[in-house]
Amino acid sequence: MEKTIFAKILDGEIPTEILYQNERTIVIDDIHPQASIHCLVITKTPYKDISEMDPEDFFYVHDAIKKIAALKAIEDYRVVTNKGPAAGQTVFHLHFHVLGGSELGDINS
Ligand code: 5GP
């Protein structure tokens, strides 16, 4: 199966600044930011989406979210994961968007 862009980043095939990492995740800036701060917490295990994730990974995702929020000095932020094309998923390697640094629109509108 074709490697996703995130698998290539994790394997060092695409040079990308790693802002933070722990045992099970890395954090990078999104290439097309949707807010003034837009980071991606990417699981090191290539789960396709959240439905495949080992719940124990949440501990590491939570750590990464808190660390990147502190590093970027954002107090308020939104965390989103898209599961499946109809939900807007375009890269099929589990990741969580962390958005902040500016007023975010109403998620329901
Ligand atoms: P999704 O649409 O799957 O929820 O999110 C995928 C995200 O990955 C998008 O926000 C997109 O801008 C970002 N992205 C796609 N390719 C790259 C890349 O090569 N580098 C980085 N840093 N982000 C990427």
Side-chain angles (χ1 to χ4, degrees):
M1 210 174 78
E2 175 80 13
K3 258 182 163 178
T4 66
I5 198 90
F6 295 162
K8 289 180 185 168
I9 288 171
L10 278 158
D11 289 347
E13 290 166 27
I14 298 175
T16 302
E17 187 186 359
I18 309 288
L19 304 173
Y20 175 73
Q21 69 174 307
N22 58 33
E23 206 176 302
R24 296 204 190 180
T25 72
I26 63 165
V27 186
I28 63 172
D29 279 318
D30 195 291
I31 205 164
H32 295 125
Q34 303 297 313
S36 51
I37 306 281
H38 185 174
C39 297
L40 300 170
V41 176
I42 301 170
T43 54
K44 290 185 178 176
T45 302
Y47 304 115
K48 194 170 102 191
D49 56 49
I50 197 168
S51 70
E52 293 187 350
M53 182 188 183
D54 175 351
E56 284 183 15
D57 283 56
F58 271 121
F59 176 87
Y60 297 91
V61 170
H62 176 255
D63 167 70
I65 291 167
K66 290 194 69 170
K67 292 287 176 18
I68 200 62
L71 276 170
K72 296 279 188 178
I74 47 172
E75 195 174 334
D76 296 345
Y77 49 88
R78 178 176 294 157
V79 179
V80 175
T81 191
N82 296 319
K83 193 262 175 229
Q89 187 176 8
T90 57
V91 179
F92 295 90
H93 179 132
L94 179 61
H95 55 282
F96 296 80
H97 300 257
V98 179
L99 303 130
S102 46
E103 194 72 26
L104 300 170
D106 185 344
I107 201 166
N108 300 313
S109 61

